[in-house]
Amino acid sequence: GAYYHIHHPFHKRMNAGHCSKEEIQGWVANRLYYQMAIPVKDAAILANCEDQEVRRTWIQRLIDHDGREGDTSLGGIEAWLRLGEAVGLNRDELLNEFHILPGVKFAVNAYVNFARRASWQEAACSSLTEMFAPEIHQSRLDTWPTHYTWINQEGFTYFQMRLGQARGAAMVAAATNEIPIYEIISGAALAFAALLLIIPGFLTDIIGFLLIIPITRKFFIKSISSKFEKKKNNENIIEGVIEEENEEK
């Protein structure tokens, strides 16, 4: 998790209460495009999956975000729209993608297309980022009400809902045992790229675009993998001194 987007300076500023109203609004508006793409991505995984038991479980992920017709509980997308209204954004503008940046659309669409083309196990691995979700949402619940008193408290419903909705971790873990490690990291890297492009900043945009391109993504993954492999090998080395004793006859 040390390389996850929550450790980016923007997110640290946001959780520390140092972001302006306009910055919060921009993040919420652009993140909505990602939120709306999640059930589309999960539907693509579902369509490619031939395992009946997995499909029965995975479909709940779509319901978590889309909700059920006639159900009083909110789906994740509706809850995020209400967060948008709570920070002062217009619902129609949010739904019309008035505030969405081109780079965000590009990255999120690439993420969804990856899920459509890849095997279900490989695409499911892009959901590995979900394992960090409860901690992330709890930190926002702990800090936002204090730092951003201008936000309507009802807007925090999404964060509260998602504390117990991080589903599919067991399936993702099982999938990682069936496919090569590169595909696992590649799927997670595309999800990470989409999140990076939501964060304001020239450097994050550059890294996000480079992660989307297959050649540069492969280079980054190999560089990081070799770094961790070297560290792992160094940890397994035990240093010692060999002393020779001359036996007297």
Side-chain angles (χ1 to χ4, degrees):
Y3 293 93
Y4 199 43
H5 71 97
I6 57 170
H7 300 295
H8 185 276
F10 174 79
H11 276 277
K12 289 183 177 180
R13 286 179 56 240
M14 186 163 62
N15 285 341
H18 298 151
C19 281
S20 66
K21 182 176 181 178
E22 290 73 22
E23 287 177 314
I24 295 293
Q25 289 177 330
W27 178 76
V28 170
N30 280 274
R31 174 81 187 217
L32 174 65
Y33 192 77
Y34 176 77
Q35 297 297 137
M36 296 182 75
I38 292 175
V40 179
K41 177 264 297 181
D42 282 323
I45 295 172
L46 196 67
N48 291 333
C49 180
E50 298 178 356
D51 189 315
Q52 187 182 61
E53 291 303 316
V54 172
R55 292 198 304 270
R56 285 172 175 165
T57 304
W58 202 269
I59 197 170
Q60 182 61 48
R61 297 166 62 89
L62 279 72
I63 298 170
D64 287 345
H65 285 277
D66 286 338
R68 289 184 184 274
E69 186 176 359
D71 194 338
T72 56
S73 61
L74 297 179
I77 293 174
E78 175 59 28
W80 195 272
L81 282 167
R82 295 190 184 189
L83 173 61
E85 292 176 317
V87 300
L89 295 169
N90 180 275
R91 175 179 281 254
D92 290 336
E93 289 185 354
L94 287 169
L95 291 172
N96 292 332
E97 303 175 5
F98 181 79
H99 303 280
I100 308 299
L101 298 173
V104 172
K105 295 186 72 171
F106 178 78
V108 173
N109 291 342
Y111 178 33
V112 173
N113 287 332
F114 165 80
R116 288 177 177 144
R117 295 192 303 268
S119 66
W120 79 264
Q121 296 100 328
E122 189 177 347
C125 289
S126 66
S127 300
L128 282 168
T129 55
E130 188 178 282
M131 296 177 180
F132 303 106
E135 180 183 351
I136 295 170
H137 295 315
Q138 186 61 60
S139 68
R140 289 168 184 158
L141 288 170
D142 292 340
T143 58
W144 281 38
T146 302
H147 296 316
Y148 305 110
T149 55
W150 51 270
I151 299 179
N152 188 320
Q153 298 287 304
E154 293 181 1
F156 299 138
T157 300
Y158 176 85
F159 303 141
Q160 294 165 346
M161 289 170 45
R162 292 298 291 165
L163 289 177
Q165 283 186 346
R167 306 178 192 272
M171 285 184 290
V172 172
T176 60
N177 292 324
E178 301 176 19
I179 58 176
I181 189 67
Y182 173 78
E183 279 72 18
I184 296 172
I185 302 175
S186 182
L190 280 170
F192 184 51
L195 293 171
L196 281 178
L197 287 169
I198 295 172
I199 301 172
F202 177 75
L203 182 58
T204 52
D205 287 349
I206 293 295
I207 296 174
F209 278 119
L210 290 176
L211 285 174
I212 291 172
I213 300 170
I215 295 176
T216 50
R217 182 169 70 249
K218 187 174 183 179
F219 173 78
F220 274 121
I221 292 173
K222 284 191 172 182
S223 298
I224 294 173
S225 298
S226 61
K227 177 181 177 182
F228 281 104
E229 187 64 29
K230 183 178 180 181
K231 181 179 179 181
K232 182 180 178 180
N233 291 337
N234 288 338
E235 289 175 350
N236 292 332
I237 296 175
I238 300 175
E239 295 184 358
V241 178
I242 299 176
E243 295 183 357
E244 295 184 359
E245 294 185 3
N246 295 323
E247 296 182 359
E248 295 182 1
K249 295 183 180 180

